[in-house]
């Protein structure tokens, strides 16, 4: 094989490989000898078919296979001899003038990973913001748990009029143009007024109803309703109120804790405190990691492969497109995206540079993912697939270096970050939860639109601009897990139930080459993930 370098500019390389016809012919002859004993043809004993007939029958396919094998081996030989580290899979093109029986000329173009500057680890200084768990925070969480486990009792008087927060037990039949529709009928359905469970306008019209009242509720299904035959349609529901129930006061005592499957209120508070500590530790790490990445990004500047930047930018843009499509005004959100397009490309470049830097630091300092950790990652990822597909997924990961690297990359990055934390000079400062959340949010706002984003890979700042709704604090998982299974409420007819917000698309996986060197091979198709739990009935979005 002859090799000629045709481009060496920055991180771009290009070569021409000439594979001799004798090499290809030798490969064809070798394959003929292998397959000839297996060929069967009328008039000849098994394995005795003349070679010229075998070549006539299978020659073109064997020549194509031989050429492909020669090209693949030639590219691998090129990478090894030139000590090239491809950033992405090389582009390989066979000259259009190639004819069987002649030399083959192949053009190979690629971008190589840059030489990353040696990281200086002795000057890192970080501030660790710590958040103690206060008694008031535990009490607030207790109240939210109580609100989530609200119990109701019958109103004292039959003349009691329902108000927001009360529970109405009812039967109803829905009609469009006077005709009942599938999924629009319910018996003994319980609805908490103000909960937003039903389509807009339905619950508001039940405020003021009494037990045994009948009422016609008129609503219009949203234009984006999940059931296309109902989207945008006006409907009427004939409602019969069976009972109005009012919320009971919940005493935050041992009895309440026992209803959740715990020994007493002290145990519940202990679980809440542990969960809050985990949340606070997560906020502390997020803030500290961002500041670390900011320092690294400010201290190192080197060329990065444009193809990797393009891939990262395309992933950011796809996520933005997805999120913009669910905004109240998708077109306005897309215009804002376009206005910030250059900033998002700089964000992509910054991410790639940080990923390569972290990879280099980890590799040079012995950071690695153990076999046990990798097995754990594979097992966790396999749970996203149907049981019958999990073994196939595991094999897919085992056989595809790039897929394995993508799975391994986030944990590898976290371990490198922990290593850098251990090398940094860290000072502690105690703050409130509100203060650290405000710092993270301010940092987030600055990173989205400012050039040269110091991006934290775990917390994506690249999102369409919009007013950030204050996130509700998560309830302690331990309390929820130990709560006994409640009796399932009466099934709500789908047509009356408010459409759920569509689940956000998981962020696209980052190119593995950012954090670990991977083989530049195409990735085989992974098994399809299991379908989400079926939503019944069909009219529900």
């Amino acid at each position: 094989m002859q090799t000629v370098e045709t481009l060496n500019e920055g991180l771009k390389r290009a070569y021409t490989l000439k594979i001799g016809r004798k090499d290809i012919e030798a490969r064809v002859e070798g394959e003929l000898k292998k397959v000839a004993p297996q060929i069967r043809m009328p008039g000849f004993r098994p394995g005795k078919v003349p070679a010229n007939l075998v070549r006539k029958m299978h020659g073109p396919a064997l020549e194509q296979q031989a050429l492909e094998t020669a090209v693949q081996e030639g590219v691998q030989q090129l990478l090894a001899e030139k000590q090239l580290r491809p950033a992405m899979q090389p582009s390989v093109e066979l000259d259009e003038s190639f004819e069987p029986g002649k030399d083959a000329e192949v053009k190979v173009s690629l971008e190589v990973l840059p030489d990353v500057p040696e990281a200086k680890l002795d000057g890192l200084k970080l501030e660790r913001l710590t958040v103690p768990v206060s008694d008031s925070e535990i009490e607030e969480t207790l109240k939210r748990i109580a609100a989530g486990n609200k119990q109701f009792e019958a109103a004292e008087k039959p003349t009691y009029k329902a108000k927001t927060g009360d529970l109405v037990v009812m039967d109803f039949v829905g009609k469009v143009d006077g005709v009942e529709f599938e999924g629009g009928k319910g018996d003994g359905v319980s609805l908490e007024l103000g909960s937003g469970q039903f389509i807009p306008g339905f619950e508001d019209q039940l405020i003021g109803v009494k037990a045994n009242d009948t009422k016609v509720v008129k609503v219009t299904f949203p234009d984006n309703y999940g059931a296309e035959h109902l989207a945008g349609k006006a409907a009427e529901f004939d409602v019969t109120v069976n009972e109005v129930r009012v919320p009971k006061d919940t005493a935050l005592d041992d009895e309440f804790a026992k209803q959740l499957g715990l020994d007493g209120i002290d145990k519940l508070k202990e679980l809440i405190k542990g969960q809050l500590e985990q949340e606070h530790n997560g906020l502390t790490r997020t803030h500290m990691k961002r500041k670390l990445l900011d320092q690294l990004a400010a201290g190192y500047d080197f060329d990065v492969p444009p193809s990797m930047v393009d891939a990262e930018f395309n992933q950011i843009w796809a996520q933005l497109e997805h999120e913009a499509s669910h905004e109240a005004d998708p077109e306005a959100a897309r215009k804002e995206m376009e206005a910030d397009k250059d900033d998002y490309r700089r964000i992509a470049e910054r991410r790639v540079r940080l990923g390569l830097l972290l990879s280099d630091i980890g590799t040079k300092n012995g950071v690695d993912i153990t076999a046990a950790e990798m097995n754990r990652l594979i097992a966790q990822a396999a749970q996203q697939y149907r049981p019958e597909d999990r073994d196939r997924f595991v094999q897919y990961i085992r056989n595809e270096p790039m897929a394995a690297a993508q799975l391994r990359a986030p944990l590898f990055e976290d371990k490198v970050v922990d290593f850098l934390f251990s090398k940094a000079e860290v000072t502690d400062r105690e703050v409130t939860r509100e203060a650290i959340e405000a710092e993270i949010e301010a940092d987030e706002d600055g990173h989205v639109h400012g050039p040269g984003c110091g991006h934290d890979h775990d917390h994506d700042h690249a999102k369409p601009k919009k007013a950030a709704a204050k996130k509700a604090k998560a309830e302690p998982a331990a309390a929820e897990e130990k709560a006994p299974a409640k009796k399932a409420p009466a099934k709500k007819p789908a047509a009356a139930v408010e459409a759920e917000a569509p689940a956000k698309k998981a962020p696209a996986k980052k190119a593995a080459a950012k954090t670990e060197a991977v083989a530049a091979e195409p990735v085989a198709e992974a098994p399809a993930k299991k379908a989400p739990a079926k939503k019944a009935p069909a009219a529900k979005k």
Side-chain angles (χ1 to χ4, degrees), residues 86-88 113 308 355-356 359 402 405-406 510-518:
M88 304 288 279
L113 293 174
M308 291 181 70
L356 291 171
S359 175
M402 185 173 289
Q406 288 178 331
K510 305 175 183 64
K514 290 190 299 179
T515 49
E516 293 191 44
V518 296

Side-chain angles (χ1 to χ4, degrees), residues 269-307:
K269 288 181 178 180
E270 180 185 328
L271 290 173
I272 290 172
K273 184 177 181 180
Q275 181 68 24
L276 291 173
E277 285 174 343
Q278 288 184 16
E279 293 174 11
H280 293 176
N281 291 340
L283 293 171
T284 295
R285 180 180 174 83
T286 295
H287 179 268
M288 194 171 167
K289 182 176 176 181
R290 289 185 180 180
K291 296 305 181 186
L292 168 67
L293 295 181
D294 283 343
Q295 287 190 45
L296 292 176
Y300 300 89
D301 187 17
F302 52 89
D303 290 340
V304 294
S307 59

Side-chain angles (χ1 to χ4, degrees), residues 49 122 140 170 208 243 248 263 322 374 400 432 456 512 523:
V49 180
D122 53 359
E140 288 176 9
M170 59 187 169
E243 186 180 13
K248 293 171 59 176
D263 294 338
H322 175 79
M374 191 62 197
E400 294 294 337
T432 63
D456 177 344
V523 179

Side-chain angles (χ1 to χ4, degrees), residues 107-413:
K107 295 178 180 179
V108 180
S109 57
L110 68 154
E111 290 174 356
V112 296
L113 293 174
D115 293 325
V116 178
E118 189 73 26
K120 299 177 181 178
L121 307 181
D122 53 359
L124 293 174
K125 294 184 179 180
L126 295 171
E127 184 178 46
R128 180 167 47 213
L129 304 185
T130 59
V131 184
V133 176
S134 64
D135 291 340
S136 61
E137 197 172 5
I138 294 175
E139 290 300 322
E140 288 176 9
T141 306
L142 265 175
K143 290 176 182 178
R144 286 198 300 275
I145 294 175
N149 289 272
K150 191 184 300 183
Q151 296 185 352
F152 296 85
E153 60 186 359
E156 291 185 3
K157 298 179 180 180
T159 56
Y160 176 85
K161 296 182 179 180
K163 60 180 185 292
T164 300
D166 291 341
L167 193 77
V168 172
V169 183
M170 59 187 169
D171 304 332
F172 56 78
V173 177
K175 300 176 183 178
V176 171
D177 297 330
V179 179
E180 291 185 27
F181 55 88
E182 184 180 357
K185 184 176 182 180
D187 296 320
V189 176
S190 296
L191 172 64
E192 181 181 343
L193 301 185
S195 63
Q197 290 177 280
F198 281 24
I199 57 177
F202 192 103
E203 296 173 25
D204 295 341
Q205 296 178 57
L206 294 181
I207 293 176
V209 298
K210 304 184 300 295
N212 299 317
D213 277 357
T214 58
K215 187 176 183 69
V216 176
V217 174
K218 299 181 180 181
V219 295
T220 300
F221 285 98
D223 292 335
N224 62 347
Y225 196 69
E228 293 183 6
H229 67 290
L230 296 175
K233 296 286 184 68
E236 292 186 355
F237 288 85
D238 297 327
V239 177
T240 300
V241 179
N242 300 329
E243 186 180 13
V244 176
R245 302 175 66 84
V246 297
K248 293 171 59 176
D249 290 334
T250 302
L252 301 177
D253 53 16
D254 288 341
E255 188 58 35
F256 171 68
K258 288 176 181 177
Q259 292 174 11
L260 298 176
L262 302 172
D263 294 338
I265 194 67
D266 289 341
K267 182 62 175 178
L268 177 56
K269 288 181 178 180
E270 180 185 328
L271 290 173
I272 290 172
K273 184 177 181 180
Q275 181 68 24
L276 291 173
E277 285 174 343
Q278 288 184 16
E279 293 174 11
H280 293 176
N281 291 340
L283 293 171
T284 295
R285 180 180 174 83
T286 295
H287 179 268
M288 194 171 167
K289 182 176 176 181
R290 289 185 180 180
K291 296 305 181 186
L292 168 67
L293 295 181
D294 283 343
Q295 287 190 45
L296 292 176
Y300 300 89
D301 187 17
F302 52 89
D303 290 340
V304 294
S307 59
M308 291 181 70
V309 176
D310 289 342
E312 185 69 37
F313 173 78
N314 290 338
Q315 290 176 353
I316 292 174
W317 203 251
Q319 181 185 343
L320 293 170
E321 287 277 9
H322 175 79
E323 295 186 6
S325 69
H326 294 98
E327 293 288 313
D329 188 345
E331 285 306 312
R334 291 190 180 96
K335 286 181 180 179
E336 285 191 277
M337 286 166 48
E338 289 291 341
D340 292 333
K341 196 167 189 175
D342 290 343
D343 284 346
Y344 289 127
R345 182 163 288 280
R346 282 190 285 269
I347 288 172
E349 181 177 335
R350 186 76 173 276
R351 289 189 191 180
V352 171
R353 185 175 291 111
L354 279 170
L356 291 171
L357 180 60
L358 289 173
S359 175
D360 190 69
I361 292 171
T363 300
K364 290 178 178 176
N365 289 278
V367 178
D368 197 10
I369 304 300
T370 66
E373 288 171 331
M374 191 62 197
N375 289 337
R376 194 155 51 244
L377 288 174
I378 295 173
Q380 290 171 352
Q383 295 305 309
Q384 302 175 63
Y385 296 84
R386 295 173 302 208
E388 60 269 26
D389 288 335
R390 289 173 188 167
D391 287 343
R392 190 157 63 93
F393 169 78
V394 171
Q395 285 302 116
Y396 161 73
I397 294 295
R398 302 287 188 202
N399 296 332
E400 294 294 337
M402 185 173 289
Q406 288 178 331
L407 187 62
R408 185 168 50 233
L411 178 58
F412 179 81
E413 179 180 295

